[in-house]
Amino acid sequence: MNQAKKLYLETFGCQMNVSDSEKIVALMKGIGYQRTDDPHHADLVLLNTCSIRATAEQRVYGHLGKFKSIKGGRPGLIIGVGGCVAQQEGEKLLKKAPFVNLVFGTHNLHLLQKMVTAAEEGRRSIETDFLDDEKRFDLFPLSDSEGGVTRFVTVMQGCDNFCAYCIVPHVRGREISRSAARVVEEVRALAAAGVTEVTLLGQNVNSYSCKTPGEPGFPDLLRLVAGVEGIERIRFTTSHPKDISPELIACFAEIPELAPHIHLPAQSGSDQVLRRMNRGYTRADYLAKVAALKDACPEIQITGDIIVGFPGEDEAAFQETLALMEEVQYADLFSFIYSARPGTKAADYADDATRAEKQGRLERLQAVQKKTTLARNRSLEGTVQRVLVEGLSSSGDCLFGRTGGNRGAIMDGDPSLAGRVLEVRITEGLQTILKGEILHV
Ligand code: SAH
Ligand code: SF4
Ligand code: F3S
């Protein structure tokens, strides 16, 4: 019997990369590679990388060092780097890291089988050209679900917003939407394979089809996907506040399958900072949309992203961010210290706050959010939530699932309940998790 070749794949960054990695697994399976968790036994190591902040990028180089030493004792090992760092660094990466066999950009997954085969024959290769064509969505086999009940479905890629701090438009290219028919086709195939929840994915998902006349808009796409037999719950991410339309807000009241959660990054609560970030909305616009979302769907859970220490942010501007958080009452918040990215507009802005000041702001902000998260989780005690059971919890001794609002919950129950949406009474709201009991199955 042929011994399967082994793939060790590590993924950094956002859901877009997680989704691309599922495709990579399926593509590599097609040329005889099975996944392993142990790089020491791998024949092929692939890193799917992220360059959103300098720390993310440094992590990639740290990992490459580790694989270089493994390759020292295992000379046949093929090492490939893909994703956003690969897109940005291109040839430089091959020069800096001579032990790397292949470099593939964010639009080049469809070439990966060919590139790995070339590496097996001793040839190095690099592919980082952008492919600005809808075809790039459908060049793959259906991604490898490995039995999950919840899956990502890409509906658009790229970003045209050019927020002043952000590398994404530079490494993911221009915005392009996939046809609604292909999206629905993929969702149908996933439902037939036992998937009950899909998350529609895009860098700026709510501007879906804005640039492709003739395709349905995002609210209609949500209706089409919600109508697929077997799909009990849909989500979407990430939304840009400037593109949240009244029609989309109404969907939260009108589409029962649409989960009551939205990730709506504000980035800052200060108009002066938002303008310099090139975000295209004001604090008042953002808060008005949040109020409309809460009106349409009172149980909606809002999560967000905030950048602290953007060039020009002073203490007063930071206080406005804290006040915005107070008003929104985020269920959860991802917060980051600004990191200058090469080639972005803000990289040239004068930046006068010290590292210690920025670190101090981040810690204050996170302390505020920690309290809000706990208070919100506690406020769910005694309520009945519809929880999609994803499977066993990481400790293996109970079930793990998510409420419609995307809060993690654990409860006792049989693993065969995976994939079901069940009514669960929340018995305890802790800092990072809810505990509950299944009411009936
Ligand atoms: N498309 C998404 C964001 C993707 S990046 C959106 O528009 O919201 C995820 C988050 O990383 C951003 O929301 C932002 O908060 C953060 N981020 C992006 N660039 C950054 C930078 N240069 N420094 C620090 N944080 C950054
Ligand atoms: Fe980056 Fe802004 Fe595009 Fe989001 S909308 S990916 S933050 S440029
Ligand atoms: Fe990172 Fe690229 Fe996503 S830079 S956040 S992996 S689009």
Side-chain angles (χ1 to χ4, degrees), residues 281-342:
Y281 55 85
T282 62
R283 171 196 180 87
D285 295 337
Y286 182 88
L287 289 172
K289 289 190 180 180
V290 165
L293 283 159
K294 288 179 177 170
D295 257 4
C297 177
E299 84 267 37
I300 199 161
Q301 301 280 337
I302 299 172
T303 55
D305 297 341
I306 297 279
I307 297 176
V308 302
F310 186 74
E313 181 191 76
D314 55 12
E315 178 62 25
F318 174 66
Q319 288 296 335
E320 290 189 85
T321 297
L322 292 182
L324 177 121
M325 286 166 57
E326 192 57 40
E327 190 162 341
V328 177
Q329 290 289 302
Y330 290 105
D332 213 346
L333 189 68
F334 301 89
S335 46
F336 316 97
I337 292 181
Y338 167 71
S339 166
R341 306 313 292 133

Side-chain angles (χ1 to χ4, degrees), residues 189-206:
L190 291 172
V195 167
T196 43
E197 177 186 80
V198 289
T199 301
L200 306 186
L201 192 59
Q203 254 91 24
N204 187 14
V205 73
N206 49 336

Side-chain angles (χ1 to χ4, degrees), residues 362-413:
L362 184 72
E363 284 165 16
R364 280 148 68 200
L365 180 149
Q366 290 181 340
V368 168
Q369 183 56 43
K370 205 171 160 192
K371 280 194 191 142
T372 309
T373 301
L374 180 60
R376 290 192 63 93
N377 284 350
R378 283 211 178 124
S379 75
L380 295 175
E381 288 174 0
T383 65
V384 175
Q385 300 287 322
R386 286 166 49 75
V387 172
L388 170 64
V389 179
E390 293 185 11
L392 281 176
S393 67
S394 48
S395 63
D397 51 14
C398 55
L399 297 180
F400 175 83
R402 285 186 178 276
T403 66
N406 210 27
R407 312 307 300 149
I410 50 173
M411 56 258 146
D412 288 333

